[in-house]
Amino acid sequence: MTEATFATQVSRWYERNARDLPWRKPDVGAWAILVSEVMLQQTPVVRVVPAWEAWLARWPEPRALAEDTPAEAIRMWGRLGYPRRAVRLRECAVAIVERHGGVVPDRLDQLLALPGVGTYTARAVAAFAYGQRHPVVDTNVRRVVCRAVAGEPDAGPTTRPADLVATEELLPVDPAAAALASAAFMELGAVVCTARAPRCAVCPVESVCAWRASGQAAPAGPTRRPQRYAGTDRQVRGLLLAVLRDATGPVPHQRLDQVWHDDVQRARALAGLVTDGLVEPVGPDSFRLAGDGPPVPVP
């Protein structure tokens, strides 16, 4: 399978069919793209769009967020889920200001050194914000490449070095074309080459897909077991955070005791929030969102 028969065809399809997402517009900068990539982790696009727009309206550049408190980042994150991402994104903004003068770096090694920025996010920012040639591999891309190249119905649960190599081999040599192809692979996996109901009839590379040629069926069940939410520590953490987000000052322990009936589970969830840097104790018997006080100036 050559780049001409795969990356070019997928890129042409993408240019005609890509969803109109705000972070894909030509004038969107690296900071906005970084924010979108962090928010999109384990969160559906439909929930991210309004949160992303509100976040950028308040903090249009890293320095603006760096000069605000962690508590405000947590409040602004709202109910997107996995709120530790909000704290890490603010830590990332502080690092960008301190190390790079407030400008999101364009070098992959510098992106990887930022707090909360991993292999996928660093490569996504380098490709989508700066037009560089890097394999950008998420679940959707791994599935597309696994099916098209290896002829398997689905990829494993985590990204491996071999996935990066296989994806990079499909990228055009030209950096701009490679960045476009990276976005196209991801879109194809998200809307056509889906896990359980692939739409092979409208796939632009059906004719060169090894999995399609093999005649194998798609997996009958979910590729990952859905995570239960009701009754879990995640739910209790969310209830506790909701009370603290809405508060204008420290919240007495007695008020937090009212959000969940199980004393042991509630205490464990609260302790986890403190350990994760989302909540901090105030005095002997009250709590507040981390850093919920006057902002500290960033040099």
Side-chain angles (χ1 to χ4, degrees), residues 62-238:
R63 182 173 293 277
L65 176 57
E67 292 178 346
D68 215 330
T69 64
E72 288 306 302
I74 298 167
R75 284 196 176 94
M76 199 69 178
W77 198 258
R79 297 184 179 275
L80 274 183
Y82 303 98
R84 179 64 180 153
R85 290 180 292 172
V87 176
R88 296 295 278 171
L89 191 50
R90 182 188 171 275
E91 292 171 352
C92 182
V94 172
I96 290 170
V97 172
E98 293 177 344
R99 303 175 194 172
H100 307 289
V103 178
V104 177
D106 60 359
R107 281 173 37 188
L108 183 60
D109 61 333
Q110 292 176 337
L111 287 165
L112 286 167
L114 294 173
V117 174
T119 297
Y120 165 79
T121 304
R123 285 170 169 78
V125 172
F128 303 148
Y130 294 115
Q132 297 177 12
R133 186 182 187 275
H134 296 287
V136 183
V137 182
D138 69 349
T139 299
N140 291 317
V141 174
R142 284 192 295 109
R143 183 169 57 252
V144 166
V145 175
C146 183
R147 287 176 175 172
V149 177
E152 298 295 333
D154 219 329
T158 59
T159 299
R160 304 162 301 167
D163 297 318
L164 295 173
V165 173
T167 304
E168 187 170 14
E169 289 177 349
L170 295 173
L171 296 178
V173 174
D174 176 70
L180 176 63
S182 291
F185 295 167
M186 195 173 301
E187 186 77 347
L188 186 68
V191 302
V192 173
C193 192
T194 58
R196 286 167 299 205
R199 300 163 56 217
C200 296
V202 299
C203 178
V205 288
E206 179 192 15
S207 63
V208 295
C209 176
W211 175 64
R212 183 68 167 164
S214 73
Q216 294 187 55
T223 56
R224 295 184 183 181
R225 181 177 296 177
Q227 292 185 342
R228 183 172 61 91
Y229 181 74
T232 63
D233 285 5
R234 279 187 60 213
Q235 182 185 15
V236 182
R237 284 162 61 103

Side-chain angles (χ1 to χ4, degrees), residues 6 27 31 33 44 47 101 116 118 126 133 139 202 215 247 278 291 298:
F6 192 85
D27 59 343
W31 169 242
I33 289 173
R47 294 182 60 201
R133 186 182 187 275
T139 299
V202 299
L278 295 165
V298 179

